[in-house]
Amino acid sequence: MIAPLYSDRPDAAGRFGAFGGRYVPETLVPALDQLEQEFEKAWNDPAFRAEFQQYLVEYVGRPTPITEARRLSEDTGLHVVIKREDLNHTGAHKINNAIGQCLLALRMGKRRIIAETGAGQHGVATATVCALFGLDCTVYMGEEDTVRQELNVFRMKLLGAKVVPVSSGTKTLKDATNEAMRDWVTNVRDTHYIIGSVVGPHPFPYIVRQFQRVIGDETRQQYQDRYGRLPDAVVACVGGGSNAIGFFTAFVPDPSVKIVGVEAGGLGLASGQHAAPLTLGQPGVLHGAYSYLMQDDDGQIIGTHSVSAGLDYPGVGPEHSQLKDSGRATYTAATDEEALDALQWVARKEGLIAAFETSHAFAVLHNRDLFPTGTRVVVNMSGRGDKDMGTAAQILKL
């Protein structure tokens, strides 16, 4: 039985159990109400769903395949299969949500789009879809992330987006999100904010989950078609958590399937230099929602560290917080060093270059406490590693 705290969708107050809700200025409440109403109408409209699906197939390139990782399986004593979100147009899962939210924005008559980005993949996906639909696009990105993800900054500019470096705070994803929120408060009448993960005020965590659930729905069907059964476990990296929740959702009703999320352990959990709120954080409010956070005794958000810009965030989606507290999912962490080792391992064994984010998920496959010998595991490869090769080359010096 699934623990009773877990629910498939938020309640009327926008909460998954104790987590979620809306902690926003009054000026945003009408926009959030409109967004919730428009999403519900769209999601229940066969024409909208068909249009969304058509773009996923003809533009994004879905369905993405599952790949049997024979050499990883030999090394670990597991049966490892990989869900290939790296094969999507733009190289990651982020475009699933960007397509859906841009279609929503068009329904609402809003032709200016803003977004935040860390690793740059959500920014690239948003810029790509805005180019496709002829929408104005502004992307906020932490100044530190613009340096370590220079290639993605160029890609966004090439696609016609305005990239705004954010120099406040830690100059990373948290601060980029702060600036995007400020922009939206000021320009809410003609602007739609495409949040890239399952964070933020209701209804964003639910909307992003629904647009990303195609990952898990495909995987579940593909695995059953190929192997005649469900996997024993599914694994994904977790920052804000959109790739993971989109992947996990299809398997939550099946108690036989273990769900494992992997956070950024940074320089080690004992060092304090990490981004693992589910592993070591406490519940609090950030960016309009109540969820697990990295914070001090006074409730102030503390700095994070990860070699992965996409996981370098002090919070996590409220649905992940509920999955943790309900006991339905297990969350752990992998360090920078473990992720870099996994990057090389997967490249040399399978010819696949994973993003730094996904490398955290691969890093835990050697953990026998999580995965006893013989376990049938599916890893969600949320993105490819092209964007990280400059940083990897500097660190690894191969």
Side-chain angles (χ1 to χ4, degrees):
M1 291 292 291
I2 298 172
L5 282 174
Y6 181 78
S7 59
D8 181 59
R9 60 174 294 148
D11 63 19
R15 292 182 178 273
F16 294 92
F19 302 100
R22 286 182 185 172
Y23 298 82
V24 296
E26 289 183 12
T27 52
L28 286 183
V29 172
L32 291 168
D33 284 342
Q34 180 195 20
L35 181 60
E36 182 179 13
Q37 293 162 8
E38 287 295 335
F39 174 74
E40 290 295 343
K41 286 192 291 186
W43 197 247
N44 291 305
D45 179 356
F48 177 87
R49 295 283 289 275
E51 184 179 19
F52 177 50
Q53 180 65 24
Q54 184 176 5
Y55 277 110
L56 291 181
V57 172
E58 296 181 3
Y59 191 71
V60 177
R62 305 204 70 92
T64 59
I66 57 173
T67 299
E68 190 162 322
R70 293 179 177 84
R71 298 190 69 204
L72 297 189
S73 299
E74 290 171 2
D75 267 15
T76 58
L78 309 175
H79 180 266
V80 181
V81 169
I82 304 170
K83 177 59 171 170
R84 300 292 306 281
E85 289 300 287
D86 59 305
L87 295 178
N88 284 330
H89 178 42
T90 72
H93 69 291
K94 293 293 188 180
I95 196 165
N96 303 323
N97 172 57
I99 290 276
Q101 287 209 52
C102 270
L103 290 174
L104 269 182
L106 290 170
R107 282 176 72 106
M108 293 185 291
K110 295 185 176 184
R111 301 195 63 85
R112 179 175 181 262
I113 302 296
I114 59 173
E116 87 298 328
T117 197
Q121 287 303 105
H122 174 57
V124 168
T126 302
T128 297
V129 179
C130 285
L132 176 66
F133 292 129
L135 302 176
D136 182 81
C137 181
T138 298
V139 180
Y140 291 91
M141 190 173 191
E143 196 171 63
E144 180 179 328
D145 293 337
T146 65
V147 175
R148 56 181 172 176
Q149 299 294 341
E150 185 178 3
L151 174 61
N152 274 345
V153 173
F154 177 75
R155 292 170 76 191
M156 286 183 271
K157 291 179 178 178
L158 181 64
L159 290 158
K162 178 183 178 183
V163 180
V164 181
V166 177
S167 58
S168 59
T170 58
K171 305 178 185 179
T172 57
L173 181 57
K174 171 180 71 72
D175 311 290
T177 306
N178 289 341
E179 290 303 314
M181 285 280 190
R182 291 189 185 102
D183 184 321
W184 198 36
V185 169
T186 306
N187 301 294
V188 69
R189 286 189 177 183
D190 69 347
T191 298
H192 177 58
Y193 177 17
I194 299 185
I195 291 182
S197 196
V198 285
V199 299
H202 176 70
F204 279 111
Y206 180 60
I207 288 174
V208 177
R209 193 278 297 273
Q210 291 299 85
F211 286 139
Q212 291 292 4
R213 69 175 299 153
V214 63
I215 305 170
D217 290 342
E218 281 180 6
T219 306
R220 194 178 196 279
Q221 188 62 54
Q222 289 167 329
Y223 201 93
Q224 286 183 312
D225 288 347
R226 183 175 299 184
Y227 301 109
R229 52 163 293 171
L230 292 176
D232 300 318
V234 292
V235 190
C237 63
V238 179
S242 64
N243 95 86
I245 212 68
F247 186 45
F248 294 164
T249 297
F251 299 98
V252 167
D254 302 293
S256 66
V257 180
K258 185 172 188 174
I259 294 173
V260 179
V262 186
E263 297 187 293
L267 302 181
L269 297 180
S271 73
Q273 298 296 304
H274 59 79
L278 288 166
T279 308
L280 285 181
Q282 297 294 326
V285 175
L286 176 66
H287 296 144
Y290 182 71
S291 189
Y292 274 91
L293 309 175
M294 290 180 58
Q295 55 188 323
D296 62 21
D297 292 340
D298 296 322
Q300 298 300 306
I301 303 301
I302 60 177
T304 58
H305 165 78
S306 173
V307 70
S308 161
L311 302 184
D312 200 353
Y313 182 68
V316 69
E319 193 170 359
H320 283 292
S321 297
Q322 185 195 28
L323 285 170
K324 169 188 165 67
D325 274 13
S326 71
R328 181 62 188 94
T330 299
Y331 294 91
T332 186
T335 64
D336 289 352
E337 183 178 3
E338 290 168 335
L340 288 165
D341 285 347
L343 170 72
Q344 297 172 81
W345 176 54
V346 174
R348 291 169 180 176
K349 292 293 182 179
E350 297 294 342
L352 299 175
I353 298 177
F356 281 168
E357 291 79 16
T358 297
S359 297
H360 286 72
F362 284 114
V364 302
L365 292 181
H366 294 287
N367 187 327
R368 288 297 152 268
D369 292 333
L370 288 172
F371 310 112
T373 299
T375 302
R376 303 177 70 93
V377 184
V378 185
V379 182
N380 186 33
M381 188 162 167
S382 55
R384 64 176 184 249
D386 306 38
K387 66 184 178 60
D388 298 316
M389 290 303 96
T391 302
Q394 291 175 11
I395 297 172
L396 297 174
K397 302 186 189 311
L398 300 179

